[in-house]
Amino acid sequence: MTKEVELKLFFKAQDYDLLVKILDSLDGLVPKQTKLLKNAYFDTKALQLRHWDMGLRIRSFENNTKEQTIKTAGQVAGGIHSRPEYNARCIGDVPDLSLFPVEIWPKNTQFAKLQEELYCLFETNFKRNIWIAKQGVSQIEVALDQGDIIAGSNHESLCELELELQNGEEASLLSLAADIALKIAVRLGKASKAQRGYRLGGNSALASVADLKPLPVLASSCEKEERTAAIGLALENWQVLDGLLSAAADIATEAELWSRFKSNLSYIDSSLEPLGWQALNTMPCWTLLILELNRQGRLIQQWHSLAYGQAQLALVNLLRD
């Protein structure tokens, strides 16, 4: 078993070539290889694995080898994803569940029935460019993915940059991400490839305002831990609203979401000083972000701004301390 600890960044498809050049030029990054990866994701008709917060796939490599992987329930804290995963070589077109440790399964799992009901729900097929980065005592794999998510006749483009900690300190992920965000517009990624595939195939509900976390009213006597947790919830809301605004279909919906978005950012902004984090809202990226959000416009305009991703990463850095 390994524990996947990563930071996911989204970027605009038209910036792919520029991002490759930037990664090639950054100190401490060594290009390793380019892979073409085909990934088939499996579940049952009743979405039993999804219910258990598990993700199951077979990854096919260019040398005709295959690896099956299952990821069990994890967490996203302060923008950093952490999730246990188990890998095994496989030869068939359907994962062999007996190759995974028995202790990862819920009690009383009916293995034969689960195995029989597995089928492929969707695929994620993409080109992956890999660099290895040295950040102090840490080593990070930098994976740049571009391709498609395919569920039946539905297709969705995939443009992601994943920074995965191979060994060392989580802070190194943020340090490297901040260096990248100085040169190209990025934003924190929330939904995994699997989550997006389930949604594309109609096997999971689309994000909605119901996914927004209620933000507590913080009294002046609140402890630091309570305030920090509240800002963490507001960061999660930021990412949900980010996705909702990008998909808004009409002016009325967009206007309502903008109002929620600005209110959420104001909540964060007003919570910084009691924590002693007021240095953030005087940073150029934060000041510019707040200024731009006070002007009406589509969110995609903000994604073209370096300040957007820089402000998100600066906030994540505070939450990790």
Side-chain angles (χ1 to χ4, degrees):
M1 188 270 285
T2 59
K3 187 175 183 180
E4 181 185 65
V5 178
E6 69 176 22
L7 185 68
K8 186 191 301 289
L9 301 173
F10 293 158
F11 63 94
K12 301 182 297 297
Q14 62 264 35
D15 287 341
Y16 176 83
D17 291 336
L18 175 59
L19 186 50
V20 171
K21 291 179 181 178
I22 288 171
L23 294 171
D24 279 338
S25 68
L26 283 178
D27 290 340
L29 264 69
V30 179
K32 287 297 181 182
Q33 60 187 135
T34 299
K35 300 177 180 179
L36 294 176
L37 301 175
K38 294 185 176 182
N39 308 272
Y41 284 79
F42 293 80
D43 207 331
T44 68
K45 293 288 186 182
L47 305 180
Q48 183 61 73
L49 297 178
R50 182 72 169 162
H51 177 70
W52 289 334
D53 196 17
M54 289 180 164
L56 175 64
R57 73 167 185 236
I58 287 181
R59 171 166 287 174
S60 301
F61 300 91
E62 292 177 274
N63 61 1
N64 295 320
T65 61
K66 297 179 181 179
E67 181 181 63
Q68 63 180 53
T69 297
I70 191 162
K71 297 184 181 183
T72 58
Q75 62 179 352
V76 180
I80 293 180
H81 301 245
S82 178
R83 197 171 194 188
E85 69 172 47
Y86 301 82
N87 303 290
R89 291 288 294 274
C90 65
I91 58 174
D93 294 326
V94 178
D96 180 353
L97 300 182
S98 69
L99 298 178
F100 295 125
V102 68
E103 62 267 19
I104 71 173
W105 302 102
K107 188 178 180 180
N108 299 323
T109 295
Q110 300 178 40
F111 292 103
K113 184 174 185 292
L114 186 63
Q115 179 72 59
E116 183 182 350
E117 294 181 353
L118 290 178
Y119 80 105
C120 180
L121 278 75
F122 58 91
E123 298 178 5
T124 64
N125 302 323
F126 52 88
K127 178 173 71 172
R128 168 167 286 181
N129 289 58
I130 298 174
W131 293 259
I132 298 298
K134 295 286 188 179
Q135 292 279 311
V137 299
S138 302
Q139 180 169 298
I140 300 166
E141 181 183 85
V142 180
L144 177 60
D145 296 339
Q146 183 185 50
D148 295 285
I149 302 172
I150 305 166
S153 60
N154 298 323
H155 291 243
E156 183 177 303
S157 63
L158 188 159
C159 296
E160 296 180 0
L161 182 66
E162 295 181 352
L163 311 180
E164 182 174 346
L165 187 66
Q166 295 186 321
N167 57 68
E169 303 170 344
E170 288 186 8
S172 302
L173 295 176
L174 290 167
S175 177
L176 178 56
D179 289 343
I180 294 169
L182 287 173
K183 299 176 179 293
I184 195 165
V186 294
R187 56 193 174 94
L188 280 179
K190 183 173 177 62
S192 67
K193 295 180 181 69
Q195 289 172 323
R196 294 169 65 188
Y198 274 101
R199 289 175 180 173
L200 187 65
N203 296 301
S204 181
L206 295 174
S208 72
V209 292
D211 296 317
L212 297 174
K213 306 290 178 63
L215 299 177
V217 177
L218 299 174
S220 58
S221 58
C222 284
E223 297 292 335
K224 178 179 179 180
E225 291 76 12
E226 187 177 353
R227 290 187 183 277
T228 302
I231 293 180
L233 292 177
L235 176 60
E236 290 186 46
N237 285 350
W238 183 346
Q239 292 178 272
V240 171
L241 286 162
D242 181 296
L244 292 175
L245 270 164
S246 67
D250 57 75
I251 294 175
T253 299
E254 186 172 342
E256 178 190 352
L257 291 172
W258 266 115
S259 177
R260 290 177 179 265
F261 195 100
K262 293 175 183 178
S263 176
N264 192 75
L265 263 289
S266 295
Y267 183 93
I268 296 174
D269 196 49
S270 64
S271 301
L272 297 175
E273 187 172 351
L275 280 167
W277 292 355
Q278 58 266 38
L280 173 59
N281 58 17
T282 61
M283 291 176 64
C285 64
W286 190 266
T287 303
L288 181 58
L289 174 67
I290 299 299
L291 176 65
E292 290 299 320
L293 289 176
N294 284 330
R295 302 172 182 170
Q296 194 68 17
R298 297 192 62 83
L299 188 66
I300 195 169
Q301 295 170 326
Q302 315 307 325
W303 294 347
H304 283 277
S305 168
L306 294 176
Y308 194 89
Q310 290 172 2
Q312 285 186 322
L313 289 168
L315 181 59
V316 171
N317 193 45
L318 288 171
L319 288 169
R320 299 303 303 176
D321 286 343

